[in-house]
Amino acid sequence: MMLRSAGLVLLATIALTFPAELLAQNASSPLAMSANTTGSLGNLCSSQAGILSLLQSATGIQSAANAATVASLNVTIPANLSNSDATQQIAQIAWEYIYSYPLPVLAHTVASLSGNGTAVNTFYSKSNHLSVPADNSLTPNHDTIYSQAELDLSQGPQIVTVPQFDVPSRYWIVPFLDAYLNYYGAIGSDFNSTPGQYLVVGRNEPANATYANFTSDRVFHSPTDLNWIIARVLVFNDSDTATALTFSGNISLAPYNTAINGSLNTTSKAAIDSRAVNGSGYSSAPGAAYGAYGNQPGFLNGFTQQPAQWFNASAVYVQTDPPANETSNSTQAQTLAALSTAATNATGLASTAFQLGRQVALTCILSPAANVGLVTSTGWTFHNNSGIYGSNYLLRAQDTQNVIAALPPQQVIYFQASVDNQNRTLDASTGNNYTITFPLPLPAQAFWSLTLYNATSLNLIVNPINRYTVNDRTSGLVYGGSDNSTLTVFISASQPALGTAEYANWLPAPNNSAMFFLLRTYEPPAYAIAGAYSPPGFVRIAPGSTSTASK
């Protein structure tokens, strides 16, 4: 574990501890309350039946149990679609959009970043730096080196090799996500994983099978054949980047049976999904990111407007590698395929129904009112069951938008904020400045970071000092309190005066868009996962002012 002071990393073998009074206070009363209460927009958006109830209330077919919730759906149903049959169809379309929301993104990832399925089972995207704005990545951290791989276990088991890391305090993790973004295991520093080889096997491998040279504790059974790995290796500071890169580069994949894995099978699941998304016209050349759409939010917004192609790509994805305990001919796969056919032939009112279904789905996914996680009185939200979605498809869709491939909260909590402590949009482009003051330590037994993004693209912000995050390793910070027990971060689009505490603690904001923040706390204590920790709120101050008084 690491102890840090004044931006220096001090290595120690003791665990980070929290003051007893802090633990007692936080264990006693939840500070983050569930937004997914009965009758809320998120609660009703969490099932097809709930969405139908909303639509029937909006059209007067049934009385509205909660007029405010119905109003927050923000959809107008034409009179000639305000009947029972039409609202049921719209509800089904909306629900299937929510169910399938991550699937075209995942198919696109396979197609564009693994050479249309030809570069699976290898770490095809190894970063040689901490994330920067030019990477055009969705809400990346600026703490770790990333290394990504798409696994197609239908081609045979894969061996993951991890190196001996230099110090016990270096955080690293190699998480395994199935084809539907469910985390089913990991190796890493938090698990005291030892260096060497581990085996990942596909859905059809017997649970009691044995593998030469691998004990059972080193074998991971995936519920699907397609997998996504995003390995992370912590960088202590700028001078440590090269060392971290060496360790990240030594995490590797190799086939368990070279006779099986020696050549790409053109009927591999990765190749099939790649052809489906390429055929939609909404993919891009191998190695490209999102082409004309620019980024993942743009891709999702554009592709969802083409329901025939969207549902076809989703149907192929589910048919090719169904969720655990389902078959390629499952009801879900048939429903998506039927919707693709219906959308292809839709005209007039039928076409309008697809547009309305999309609108309802995006409201359920994107509207803060539909959040199904926990909310605090200080303007933060977080999902304390990310990464293990099961049938919580709305949560999976909401995470796809902001923190796709999220780790479960036992590994990291992703606190999200787009409003200040008075529920006003965080926007420094209008001249507003902000501060946020953290009592220390934060609930992170590994490390923490506060990262700022463009609220539209969800990319990092280009800025003159190349600072994208403030974390427990940031050098030169000025702390408050007689015992350095607080940290005030200053957020503005204009540069503060040199030599001031505001400049030392400055997190540069965009001058052309609103802001979105992620506070990541790695290896949080149980009380934080349970909602008994609330990050402080952002305080808006007058343009050009460094006063922390709320405006």
Side-chain angles (χ1 to χ4, degrees):
M1 201 55 60
M2 282 175 286
L3 301 179
R4 303 179 180 91
S5 175
L8 300 176
V9 179
L10 306 177
L11 303 181
T13 58
I14 61 173
L16 178 66
T17 58
F18 299 91
E21 61 271 18
L22 177 65
L23 292 173
Q25 173 188 347
N26 286 331
S28 61
S29 58
L31 298 176
M33 307 301 292
S34 174
N36 191 18
T37 55
T38 301
S40 68
L41 184 59
N43 176 259
L44 292 172
C45 284
S46 293
S47 68
Q48 184 173 327
I51 294 173
L52 177 60
S53 176
L54 278 168
L55 292 173
Q56 291 183 337
S57 295
T59 55
I61 295 175
Q62 67 179 34
S63 58
N66 187 324
T69 299
V70 174
S72 65
L73 189 61
N74 194 29
V75 62
T76 301
I77 309 295
N80 45 12
L81 287 176
S82 296
N83 57 74
S84 179
D85 288 343
T87 53
Q88 288 186 53
Q89 293 171 11
I90 296 169
Q92 183 185 43
I93 293 166
W95 179 245
E96 295 304 329
Y97 263 122
I98 290 170
Y99 171 85
S100 63
Y101 201 63
L103 306 187
V105 173
L106 296 171
H108 172 90
T109 300
V110 173
S112 63
L113 297 183
S114 68
N116 292 324
T118 62
V120 292
N121 300 331
T122 183
F123 281 101
Y124 58 82
S125 177
K126 289 190 175 183
S127 173
N128 61 1
H129 54 258
L130 289 171
S131 297
V132 294
D135 294 336
N136 199 25
S137 302
L138 179 84
T139 58
N141 72 47
H142 192 70
D143 307 294
T144 69
I145 299 294
Y146 287 116
S147 190
Q148 300 185 49
E150 288 284 347
L151 271 61
D152 185 348
L153 299 170
S154 69
Q155 304 296 288
Q158 290 293 310
I159 299 170
V160 181
T161 301
V162 296
Q164 174 69 59
F165 284 84
D166 51 349
V167 289
S169 55
R170 187 182 295 281
Y171 175 91
W172 65 275
I173 188 169
V174 181
F176 304 116
L177 306 182
D178 74 7
Y180 298 87
L181 298 175
N182 289 297
Y183 167 101
Y184 67 89
I187 49 181
S189 53
D190 189 29
F191 309 99
N192 297 316
S193 300
T194 56
Q197 295 185 328
Y198 298 81
L199 191 66
V200 187
V201 302
R203 64 186 306 151
N204 294 323
E205 295 288 328
N208 60 351
T210 58
Y211 303 90
N213 302 318
F214 290 92
T215 56
S216 60
D217 60 316
R218 285 182 172 250
V219 178
F220 291 86
H221 289 261
S222 172
T224 60
D225 282 331
L226 294 177
N227 273 220
W228 194 3
I229 296 176
I230 305 180
R232 301 158 173 89
V233 175
L234 179 66
V235 176
F236 292 135
N237 50 47
D238 289 343
S239 63
D240 180 57
T241 302
T243 302
L245 279 169
T246 298
F247 292 114
S248 177
N250 287 334
I251 301 173
S252 63
L253 282 163
Y256 176 70
N257 185 331
T258 55
I260 296 176
N261 290 258
S263 62
L264 177 74
N265 183 343
T266 56
T267 61
S268 72
K269 294 186 176 184
I272 293 170
D273 283 345
S274 296
R275 286 196 293 271
V277 75
N278 282 333
S280 72
Y282 280 83
S283 188
S284 53
Y290 288 101
Y293 292 100
N295 50 53
Q296 181 180 305
F299 171 80
L300 284 165
N301 181 63
F303 199 3
T304 53
Q305 294 180 52
Q306 307 295 325
Q309 295 92 330
W310 174 278
F311 287 120
N312 178 67
S314 299
V316 170
Y317 193 93
V318 174
Q319 290 165 351
T320 303
D321 199 18
N325 303 318
E326 291 189 21
T327 67
S328 60
N329 196 35
S330 66
T331 301
Q332 183 63 66
Q334 292 181 30
T335 298
L336 291 168
L339 282 176
S340 176
T341 300
T344 299
N345 300 321
T347 59
L349 289 178
S351 179
T352 301
F354 274 96
Q355 295 172 22
L356 289 169
R358 171 185 179 271
Q359 181 182 344
V360 170
L362 292 184
T363 298
C364 289
I365 295 167
L366 304 179
S367 172
N371 174 51
V372 291
L374 301 180
V375 295
T376 75
S377 61
T378 54
W380 293 87
T381 66
F382 73 97
H383 297 150
N384 63 347
N385 49 358
S386 290
I388 308 175
Y389 300 107
S391 60
N392 195 339
Y393 304 126
L394 179 58
L395 173 61
R396 185 178 70 182
Q398 291 178 353
D399 275 356
T400 295
Q401 185 67 28
N402 291 336
V403 288
I404 191 170
L407 296 175
Q410 290 75 16
Q411 302 306 315
V412 56
I413 296 178
Y414 304 88
F415 294 99
Q416 307 175 39
S418 57
V419 295
D420 67 11
N421 62 349
Q422 296 187 32
N423 204 36
R424 300 170 296 196
T425 298
L426 290 166
D427 191 347
S429 68
T430 56
N432 294 313
N433 299 330
Y434 299 87
T435 62
I436 182 169
T437 299
F438 292 101
L440 301 176
L442 272 71
Q445 298 177 95
F447 63 96
W448 64 266
S449 63
L450 175 71
T451 310
L452 188 160
Y453 306 92
N454 179 304
T456 302
S457 68
L458 298 177
N459 296 156
L460 295 170
I461 307 300
V462 175
N463 68 83
I465 63 172
N466 296 323
R467 178 181 282 178
Y468 312 106
T469 187
V470 169
N471 56 45
D472 52 3
R473 287 146 287 118
T474 303
S475 62
L477 296 176
V478 175
Y479 294 89
S482 59
D483 54 353
N484 290 339
S485 59
T486 63
L487 175 65
T488 297
V489 180
F490 183 73
I491 300 106
S492 66
S494 57
Q495 179 176 304
L498 293 174
T500 63
E502 287 77 16
Y503 181 80
N505 296 2
W506 180 38
L507 190 52
N511 58 13
N512 58 356
S513 77
M515 299 179 287
F516 175 76
F517 287 86
L518 278 176
L519 172 65
R520 294 173 170 91
T521 59
Y522 284 79
E523 297 178 22
Y527 74 79
I529 298 172
Y533 170 76
S534 172
F538 290 92
V539 177
R540 192 173 85 182
I541 56 180
S545 172
T546 58
S547 167
T548 58
S550 178
K551 181 182 176 184

